[in-house]
Every structure is written in C-alpha cells, then in structure tokens.
C-alpha cells in the first residue's frame, strides 16, 4: 500500500472522533438545505429556555460553573483522576507540595546530583522552574481537599464561569451563555486542562478578567472594573507572562486610545479610576513576583525558568534564536530529553519551509484542541466579523497582538493560547450569530445550522463516552485534542504505591534501558521535603556515587527500579563493592 494512503488511514483511525464530527457537520448541512433539521422543535424550545436563564446574568455565570463541576463529576466513573505524565506536571506538583507546606522554595539537597529532574531547579534552591500560579492552585487543592487535582477541578469550573462573564461584556446575554456552555463542552470535561496538572485554567481566567473588564470600563469607568482587570493581569503574570503580557499590551493600547479619545472620560476620572489603582496593583504584583524570584533564584530579576535552563537546555525558545553551546550532562535521560528539544524545533526555524511547517503545526494544534469541525463553521464568517462588527474590533486588536506573540514562539501547546481562550469563543459565538441570519434560496439554512452546532458538540460528548469502552484508539499525546488526555504514568504510580505501602522509608534507584524515551516517561521526581518523604526517587550513577547515595540514605531500604521492563521490575538494590 502506498505510504500516503497508509498515513491517511492511520490518521483516520487515530483521529476517528474528528472524522465522526466531520460527518455530523455534513449531515447537519444537508439537513439544513432541506429545511428538515432533526429535533427542530426541541432545539427551538431549548433555545427559549436558555434565553430566560441568560436574562439573569449572575445566575447564568454561576450555572456555567456549576455545570462544569457537575458534568465532570458525572464522568468520574469513566474518567478517574489521571496520574501525572508530562515533565511539567511533576514540576507543578513539586511547587504545590512546597506551597502547601508553607514554603516558597526548598534548600538544595546534598545528594542533588542523583535527584536531578527535568524542569526543576536543584541549585541554588530546589523548586519548580515555572511561574507560581498553577502550583498555588494545586496547593489549594491539597490544603482544602487533600488532593492536588481538586484545585484543577475547581479552577477549570471557575474558568468556564469567568469566560461566560467575559462574554457578557461583548455579546448579548443569551449569546454569552451559549459561549459559556460551549466552553464547558470543549474545555471543561475531557481535555487536559481539566484532567492533568499541566494548567490552562489559570491564564484563561486571567485573560477573561482582563478582556471582560475592558468593555465594561469603556461603557462606564468604575473602580471595580479596574481592580478586576488588574487582578487578571496579575494572574497572567503569575501563569503565562509572555502571552499574557502580549494580551495586556493589546488591551492597554485599546484602553489608552479610548481614554485619550473624544469619548474618553475626564483626565481626573482616568487618574482616580484607572491609572492610580492599576499602578498600585501592578506594583504589588511586581514586588510579590520579584520577592518569589529572589527566594528561588537569589535575584528578583532572574526567572526560575531561565536559571533552570542555563545548565541543561540548548534549544531556542523564539524563532530568531540560535542553538546554545554544547553542554555536559550527568545522566543520559537528561541528555536525551534536551537533545529531543533541539531536534524538535531547531530544523524548523532554520529555513523558510521549516518556518511554514512550524506555523502549520501551531494551527493544527490550536484547531484540534479549541475548534474541531463543528466550531470551524462559524469562523467562515470571520471576514464579515472583522469588516462589520465594530463592537468587537477592540477585542480583535488585543487578540491580534497576542497571536503575533504566539507566532514568534518556536513552541506551541494549547495552554499557550489560554489567555485568549475567551476571545476565541467570543469570535465563534459571533460567527454563529451571523450564521443564524444567513439564508440561501430564501430558506432557513443558517438558522438550522446555527442550532445544530451546539447540538453536535453535545452529541460528541456521547460519542466520546461510547468510544472509550469500545476500545476505539485515541490520538497520541500531540497534537492534543479536546476529547483525550493520556492516562498518565501508571507504571510509576503503581511502583510508588507499592513502595509507599511498606513499613519504613524506601529509596527507589531508577535504571533505564539504553533506548529509554525520556520525553514522556520520566520517573525521578520527588516531594518537596525529600528526606521526610516515604519514598525517594534517585538516579543510578557509578559505583562510587552510588555508595555515597546509599550511605546518605542508610536508614532506607534501597530498591532497584527497572522502569523500562514490562511491567516495571522492582528488586532489592544489590550491595555496592
């Protein structure tokens, strides 16, 4: 069989749910042409009921958040809490454990060379390399409910509610409610924002607050809108500072143009209602984050991510950067991971075809996670939205600045665009509004198809639930879709549970095979209080280094964990000569 045909068949199998959604869209289009959409009367009745709910704005915002909570709770039997898998998840969990213990960072460990982990600092302190927002969310889950995923659960629901509130500032109430419901269906149930520790909700909340405060402020400048915008900016700075900063730059430009324009408020009102309180909020934010940086890296101006990557990473972050110098590694797994980074992105930014492929990958990743076939249909009206909808132009300007920033980044995952998630759904819903009044041959094709789009999203929830027990294959870890999250590193979790159930403290010394994949299968991650942990994970080194490790942890029973065996093999660690 020719290779292109084989590849096409493989993609159809892996992304079979996307194919099903395409078929549902075509079925809806065909039914709309014949003005015989199934369930027409039922959809009209549901539309009227939602319109009554939308009239009560605060209630509808709360209802969207409650729906996300209830919907995910009902999915618990089919979708239990996932185990961490991605290196970023373990890094955020370290931050959560640290914050939940009442500390901002941890002292470096004497045996840190055995304990080195991807995306965590070992020097000058032992801590996650990421901004603190996601770690604080997970820490709240630990403190309030005893499990970090509780923080993910409630923050994702809050995200859905915040986006609904944001949409109310730009759209009529019933359309804002529709957007909030679409957010629940696409982001609040199956995707990795709800079902992993990787994040996404925090920057989406921050972006929703900034974007939701803007139109309200432009209608009537009030202190509470300034405070909400400042809070959103602070959340963005503590979660996705680069993309969030680009969004704030666009919003700031729009706000300043309005304030100093013909329709702007008096200068005294702007100073008292915006500039002074916003300056105070941003100053407090800068002082807080600077203090956090100083505790972690020793300097308020040194980001933990920069300090962590200096001794390990060579891959460019932005399109204009070049590869860093050759580095030496103590462990092959770390070398392989950072070498993968180099091979993944460097060839793409060294030529025009590579740049095109880099941009195309970003579009594919964003399309699969945020849109899919059903939500692509409203975007066909994007030219009309840009040309005719003056009310949304300020929103599109802020989004355009953020998209440029995303384009300049050599990397892309769906949560990179989280600050403009609410903006994207605003455009989608506005496209549905245009679709609703679109007519062809004096029929009601647009109305029927507009009603079918949310119905398809609901139907895809049922398709997703049926697909799992039938054993239908889900796509790989990338590109990520709205409907699938990998089950996590179950092998590591089982070994950890087994060792944790034993009496006394344990030392798990990990040995990898020569062909180990360090990208999605890293095992050596530890608690914030390493010496106090029931199980400590360590890397195997040479005999002399191993003797020092065993001597330091002499009060623990040492185990050899062969992670690449199937199933992973755990045996007493052999005595060192």
């Amino acid at each position: 069989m020719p290779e292109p045909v084989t590849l096409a068949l493989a993609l159809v199998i892996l992304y079979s749910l996307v194919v099903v959604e395409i078929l549902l869209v075509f079925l809806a289009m065909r039914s709309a042409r014949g003005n015989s959409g199934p369930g027409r009367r039922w959809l009209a009745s549901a539309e009227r009921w939602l319109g009554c709910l939308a009239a009560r704005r605060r209630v509808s915002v709360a209802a969207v958040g409650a729906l996300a909570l209830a919907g995910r709770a009902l999915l618990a039997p089919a979708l239990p809490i996932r185990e961490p898998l991605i290196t970023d998840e373990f890094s955020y969990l370290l931050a959560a454990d640290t914050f939940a213990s009442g500390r901002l960072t941890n002292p470096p460990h004497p045996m840190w060379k055995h304990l080195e982990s991807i995306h965590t600092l070992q020097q000058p302190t032992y801590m996650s390399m990421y901004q603190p927002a996601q770690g604080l969310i997970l820490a709240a889950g630990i403190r309030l409910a005893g499990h970090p995923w509780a923080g993910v659960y409630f923050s994702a629901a809050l995200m859905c509610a915040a986006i609904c509130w944001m949409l109310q500032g730009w759209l009529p109430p019933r359309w804002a409610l529709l957007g909030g419901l679409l957010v629940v269906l696409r982001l609040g149930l199956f995707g990795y924002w709800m079902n992993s520790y990787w994040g996404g909700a925090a920057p989406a909340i921050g972006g929703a607050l900034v974007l939701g405060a803007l139109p309200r402020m432009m209608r009537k400048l009030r202190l509470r809108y300034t405070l909400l915008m400042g809070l959103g900016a602070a959340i963005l700075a503590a979660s996705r500072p680069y993309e969030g900063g680009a969004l704030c730059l666009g919003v700031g430009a729009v706000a300043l143009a309005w304030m100093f324009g013909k329709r702007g408020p008096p200068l005294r009102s702007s100073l008292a209602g915006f500039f002074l309180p916003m300056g105070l909020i941003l100053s407090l934010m800068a002082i807080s984050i600077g203090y956090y940086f100083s505790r972690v890296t020793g300097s308020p101006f040194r980001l933990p991510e920069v300090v962590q990557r200096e001794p390990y990473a060579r891959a460019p972050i932005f399109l204009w950067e070049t590869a860093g110098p050759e580095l030496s590694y103590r462990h092959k797994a770390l070398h392989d991971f950072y070498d993968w980074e180099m091979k993944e992105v460097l060839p793409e930014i060294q030529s025009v075809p590579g740049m095109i492929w880099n941009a195309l990958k970003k579009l594919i990743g964003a399309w699969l996670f945020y849109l899919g076939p059903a939500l692509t249909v409203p975007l066909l009206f994007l030219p009309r939205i840009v040309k005719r909808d003056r009310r949304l132009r300020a929103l599109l300007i802020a989004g355009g600045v953020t998209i440029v920033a995303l384009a300049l980044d050599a990397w892309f995952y769906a949560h990179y665009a989280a600050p403009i998630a609410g903006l994207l759904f605003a455009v989608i819903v506005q496209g549905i509004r245009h679709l609703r009044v679109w007519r062809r041959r004096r029929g009601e094709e647009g109305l029927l198809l507009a009603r079918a789009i949310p119905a398809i999203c609901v139907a895809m929830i049922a398709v997703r639930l049926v697909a799992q027990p039938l054993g239908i294959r889900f796509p790989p870890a990338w590109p990520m879709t709205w409907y699938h999250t990998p089950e996590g590193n179950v092998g590591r979790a089982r070994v950890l549970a087994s060792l944790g159930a034993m009496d006394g403290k344990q030392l798990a010394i990990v040995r990898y095979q020569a062909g180990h994949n360090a990208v999605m299968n890293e095992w050596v991650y530890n608690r914030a209080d390493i010496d106090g942990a029931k199980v400590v994970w360590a890397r195997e080194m040479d005999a002399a280094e191993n003797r020092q490790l065993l001597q330091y942890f002499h009060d623990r029973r040492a185990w050899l964990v062969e992670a690449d065996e199937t199933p992973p093999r755990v045996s007493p660690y052999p005595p060192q000569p």
Side-chain angles (χ1 to χ4, degrees):
M1 185 177 295
E3 186 175 340
V5 177
T6 304
L7 177 61
L9 288 175
L11 290 174
V12 168
I13 294 172
L14 288 175
Y15 293 93
S16 55
L17 267 67
V18 177
V19 175
V20 170
E21 190 171 334
I22 291 173
L23 295 176
L24 289 176
V25 170
F26 276 113
L27 178 62
M29 294 174 65
R30 184 171 183 178
S31 299
R33 290 194 189 102
N35 291 324
S36 60
R40 181 175 179 178
R41 183 176 302 175
W42 183 90
L43 290 173
S45 177
E47 196 174 82
R48 288 192 297 271
W49 184 84
L50 290 174
C52 294
L53 175 61
R56 306 173 65 183
R57 296 192 176 209
R58 294 182 181 178
V59 174
S60 61
V61 169
V64 167
L67 179 63
L69 293 174
R72 182 59 183 85
L74 291 173
L75 292 175
L79 197 66
I81 297 174
R82 301 300 198 180
E83 298 294 339
L85 171 67
I86 308 296
T87 55
D88 306 60
E89 294 183 82
F90 287 103
S91 184
Y92 284 127
L93 288 169
L94 169 60
D97 195 19
T98 303
F99 295 147
S101 301
R103 299 186 300 275
L104 291 179
T105 189
N106 308 283
H109 195 273
M111 293 288 106
W112 68 271
K113 293 180 180 180
H114 284 271
L115 312 178
E116 286 180 279
S117 300
I118 299 167
H119 291 162
T120 63
L121 287 87
Q122 298 292 337
Q123 298 289 337
T125 63
Y126 168 51
M127 186 51 176
S128 168
M129 77 173 192
Y130 289 114
Q131 299 292 98
Q134 182 66 10
L136 290 170
I137 289 173
L138 301 180
I142 295 173
R143 295 298 295 269
L144 296 176
H147 198 287
W149 186 76
V152 177
Y153 176 61
F154 287 106
S155 67
L158 181 60
M159 171 196 70
C160 297
I163 292 178
C164 182
W165 174 83
M166 170 245 160
L167 294 174
Q168 289 176 349
W170 296 95
L171 302 169
R174 65 170 180 165
W175 294 104
L177 177 58
L178 173 62
L181 296 176
L182 291 176
V183 172
V184 173
L185 294 173
R186 288 298 194 178
L187 304 183
L189 298 178
F190 292 102
Y192 77 97
W193 288 10
M194 174 63 95
N195 298 290
S196 77
Y197 305 94
W198 205 353
I205 292 170
L209 292 177
V210 171
L211 291 170
L214 179 62
R216 292 170 169 88
M217 179 187 301
M218 293 173 69
R219 285 194 291 268
K220 188 171 183 179
L221 183 58
R222 291 182 176 178
L223 179 60
R224 66 172 178 264
Y225 300 141
T226 301
L227 296 178
L228 286 172
M229 182 178 285
L231 175 61
I235 294 173
L236 289 172
S239 56
R240 301 293 315 174
Y242 172 66
E243 301 87 357
L247 175 62
C248 291
L249 180 64
V251 169
V254 171
L256 290 176
W258 166 72
M259 287 182 188
F260 293 102
K262 294 181 180 180
R263 299 182 180 181
L267 180 59
R268 181 178 297 179
S269 299
S270 297
L271 288 173
F274 182 79
F275 288 106
L276 291 178
M278 184 62 73
L280 178 61
I281 294 172
L282 296 181
S283 297
L284 291 174
M285 174 196 71
I287 292 171
S288 300
I289 293 182
Y291 178 71
Y292 173 71
F293 288 171
S294 68
R295 292 293 305 274
V296 176
T297 68
S299 169
F301 307 106
R302 295 274 287 167
L303 275 70
E305 183 170 356
V306 173
V307 173
Q308 193 278 337
R309 289 184 65 84
E310 281 180 349
Y312 296 109
R314 300 178 56 221
I317 298 296
F318 297 103
L319 296 180
W320 62 83
E321 293 183 321
T322 57
E326 291 287 344
L327 300 170
S328 59
Y329 300 88
R330 279 171 285 271
H331 307 284
K332 184 177 182 298
L334 271 66
H335 167 272
D336 291 349
F337 178 86
Y338 291 106
D339 186 60
W340 165 81
E341 279 193 345
M342 283 283 295
K343 294 176 180 177
E344 183 72 13
V345 74
L346 189 61
E348 295 178 359
I349 65 175
Q350 292 181 324
S351 65
V352 173
M355 290 278 198
I356 295 174
W357 172 238
N358 182 272
L360 184 61
K361 283 202 311 182
K362 294 172 183 175
L363 289 173
I364 293 172
W367 182 80
L368 283 172
F369 185 79
Y370 289 103
L371 298 174
L375 298 185
T376 302
V377 175
L379 290 188
L380 297 176
F381 291 89
L382 182 60
R384 185 177 298 185
I385 294 172
V386 174
K387 183 177 180 180
R388 299 184 182 181
D389 297 337
R390 295 182 179 180
R391 181 179 177 82
L392 295 185
R393 285 181 182 173
L395 192 66
L396 295 175
I397 290 171
V401 175
T402 311
I403 290 172
V404 170
L406 289 168
L408 295 176
D409 196 327
W411 300 84
F412 179 80
Y413 292 98
H415 57 280
Y416 289 16
I420 57 170
L423 186 155
L424 177 60
F425 278 89
V427 175
I428 290 170
V429 172
Q430 187 69 5
I432 294 176
R433 294 181 69 190
H434 282 285
L435 175 62
R436 183 181 175 86
V437 299
W438 175 72
R439 295 175 182 270
R440 183 183 179 189
R441 297 177 184 175
R442 299 182 180 180
E444 295 183 328
E445 296 95 332
L447 172 63
L448 297 176
L449 191 54
R451 287 174 173 173
I453 288 173
I456 290 172
C457 293
V458 173
M460 287 306 301
I461 300 298
V463 172
R464 167 62 176 80
L465 289 173
V466 172
Q468 186 166 321
L470 292 179
I472 294 177
R473 291 183 64 97
F474 288 118
W478 192 94
M480 296 177 176
T481 62
W482 66 266
Y483 58 84
H484 175 54
T485 299
E487 62 180 354
N489 195 333
V490 177
R492 181 184 184 277
R494 289 173 179 167
V495 171
L496 178 60
S498 175
L499 295 178
M502 297 179 179
D503 294 334
K505 294 182 177 181
Q506 315 298 321
L507 173 63
I509 302 177
V510 177
R511 177 185 295 171
Y512 295 132
Q513 293 179 359
H516 173 74
N517 176 16
V519 179
M520 294 291 181
N521 193 23
E522 180 51 60
W523 285 54
V524 181
Y525 284 96
N526 284 291
R527 300 286 303 269
D529 180 10
I530 294 176
D531 288 342
K534 185 69 181 292
V535 179
V536 171
W537 298 87
R539 299 184 187 276
E540 189 176 43
M541 298 180 72
D542 59 41
E545 296 282 359
N546 291 340
R547 282 196 299 271
Q548 293 182 13
L549 177 70
L550 294 171
Q551 183 178 0
Y552 182 88
F553 290 111
H554 62 87
D555 59 337
R556 294 174 178 267
R557 187 175 181 186
W559 300 89
L560 174 63
V561 179
E562 297 175 86
D564 294 321
E565 297 291 335
T566 306
R569 182 185 302 163
V570 180
S571 59
Y573 196 77
Q576 295 298 291

